[in-house]
Amino acid sequence: MDVSYDSTNSEHQAALRALWDSAFPGEELHDLISEQWKEMGWQGKDPSTDFRGGGFISLENLLYFSKNYPKSFQDLLLKREGNRSMWEYPFAVAGVNITFMLIQMLDLEAVKPQRLVGATFLKFLADNESAFDLLYCIAFKLMDHQWLSMRASYMDFNTVMKATRRQLEKELVLEDVKRLEDLPSYSLLIHY
């Protein structure tokens, strides 16, 4: 699976611009390399350098999230919910990390998943071609929920990610979960 982001690819550039427009409607992006990107939680002025872990798929995930669950997306981007720490996680970089975590958790780079959670997910994917994107949205909201309940700060990011992964793994193999919308964490998403 080639997931690399190519900063010279016009499709990738268009997706990056679309993400900006979705995140900050009405605020013009001056250039694909700009200090403005830090507002979204990229580490520097060139977001393409942050895609190493999740590649283009992570950009597609963020874009899907922003288009399909704009309220949840904006709430996370702007840290609207809960009692926040002074040292918050950077939104966009967290998004890339979530993509990477899901790829590993579901064993998607293998020819055939070796774990039950990956095999279970393939069934969801067979029924819904957007299953990975949807699981991404659920995972992002769950990660933020864990963040708030753990009263985490930036130094706790890896601990929160591990807790998020454990919770998703548990939920994905529950007997009564026949589709992603049945996951208990799905209820965290706001559908407008």
Side-chain angles (χ1 to χ4, degrees):
M1 170 188 312
D2 182 18
V3 296
S4 58
Y5 176 85
D6 178 359
S7 61
T8 63
N9 181 312
S10 60
E11 179 189 351
H12 294 192
Q13 292 173 350
L16 200 53
R17 287 188 187 281
L19 178 62
W20 177 268
D21 292 341
S22 191
F24 302 107
E27 187 177 329
E28 183 186 346
L29 175 65
H30 302 301
D31 196 10
L32 283 179
I33 297 177
S34 167
E35 292 290 329
Q36 289 174 283
W37 287 109
K38 292 179 182 178
E39 294 175 43
M40 194 183 294
W42 299 103
Q43 291 177 337
K45 59 185 181 179
D46 182 0
S48 69
T49 61
D50 290 332
F51 285 119
R52 283 183 292 274
F56 184 62
I57 292 171
S58 57
L59 174 55
E60 289 178 315
N61 289 153
L62 283 165
L63 200 49
Y64 178 91
F65 192 13
S66 72
K67 300 279 187 201
N68 291 279
Y69 300 96
K71 172 81 168 98
S72 289
F73 179 87
Q74 288 292 323
D75 285 349
L76 294 180
L77 172 65
L78 303 174
K79 309 286 196 270
R80 289 182 181 150
E81 297 174 340
N83 187 9
R84 299 279 170 182
S85 77
M86 212 163 136
W87 299 99
E88 280 291 315
Y89 63 87
F91 172 80
V93 173
V96 172
N97 278 283
I98 289 168
T99 299
F100 184 70
M101 180 263 296
L102 289 174
I103 290 170
Q104 287 184 318
M105 180 183 90
L106 301 171
D107 210 10
L108 294 181
E109 292 181 327
V111 175
K112 183 179 176 189
Q114 302 300 308
R115 300 176 53 233
L116 178 61
V117 70
T120 302
F121 176 73
L122 289 181
K123 292 176 190 169
F124 298 137
L125 194 56
D127 293 337
N128 177 1
E129 66 181 26
S130 298
F132 188 79
D133 290 311
L134 177 56
L135 185 59
Y136 173 87
C137 298
I138 294 167
F140 211 140
K141 278 297 286 186
L142 177 59
M143 186 279 297
D144 190 71
H145 179 77
Q146 300 270 22
W147 181 272
L148 291 172
S149 63
M150 294 169 77
R151 296 192 170 139
S153 71
Y154 185 77
M155 297 305 288
D156 302 312
F157 185 76
N158 287 336
T159 304
V160 172
M161 286 295 287
K162 286 176 185 168
T164 302
R165 179 176 173 157
R166 279 191 307 272
Q167 183 64 33
L168 279 175
E169 287 173 337
K170 283 181 198 170
E171 290 185 19
L172 281 167
V173 296
L174 290 172
E175 267 186 56
D176 57 341
V177 172
K178 305 296 182 215
R179 56 195 187 105
L180 291 176
E181 291 85 347
D182 297 333
L183 294 174
S185 294
Y186 178 76
S187 66
L188 296 171
L189 281 174
I190 299 171
H191 304 280
Y192 55 88

